[in-house]
Amino acid sequence: MHELSFGTWLIHISSVIEWIFTIFVIYKISTYKEYNLFFWLSIAMVPNLIGAMCAITWHIYDNQDVLYGLVTLQGIFTFIGNSTLALASFTIFKKGRDL
């Protein structure tokens, strides 16, 4: 784990913890009837979390070439996550405007 500085590790780990916490907060908000569409926003955040886990796993093992597929997976999950977040956000915006 010597490839990254302590500060970089701190940012990586705290960002993942923050993302997990945010997923749970948004899910909790979605339990209120007027915010039930936020459930899909919390689900849409999961692929980005998986992508972050791929990146951290690769860094934990000192960026070994044999695990380079994790970088590809990170890119794929980031693309999927950004797409699902955009779709969920647009849906919330569209439905909220119709109310």
Side-chain angles (χ1 to χ4, degrees):
M1 294 187 350
H2 64 277
E3 295 288 330
L4 302 177
S5 69
F6 175 75
T8 304
W9 273 113
L10 187 64
I11 290 169
H12 273 49
I13 300 299
S14 63
S15 294
V16 169
I17 291 169
E18 176 185 8
W19 198 256
I20 293 168
F21 178 75
T22 303
I23 290 172
F24 283 111
V25 168
I26 291 173
Y27 172 74
K28 184 64 177 169
I29 290 170
S30 76
T31 61
Y32 295 101
K33 185 177 179 181
E34 63 270 15
Y35 298 112
N36 60 354
L37 284 175
F38 280 59
F39 170 76
W40 296 109
L41 183 62
S42 67
I43 296 299
M45 294 175 74
V46 173
N48 284 88
L49 178 62
I50 294 169
M53 295 295 190
C54 289
I56 287 178
T57 302
W58 191 54
H59 290 315
I60 286 173
Y61 291 102
D62 292 330
N63 306 339
Q64 293 179 14
D65 290 337
V66 71
L67 296 175
Y68 194 76
L70 288 173
V71 176
T72 305
L73 279 177
Q74 178 197 5
I76 291 168
F77 279 111
T78 300
F79 175 76
I80 292 169
N82 291 347
S83 300
T84 57
L85 281 170
L87 183 62
S89 299
F90 181 74
T91 304
I92 290 169
F93 171 76
K94 184 86 167 142
K95 298 285 184 175
R97 196 174 61 175
D98 293 341
L99 295 178

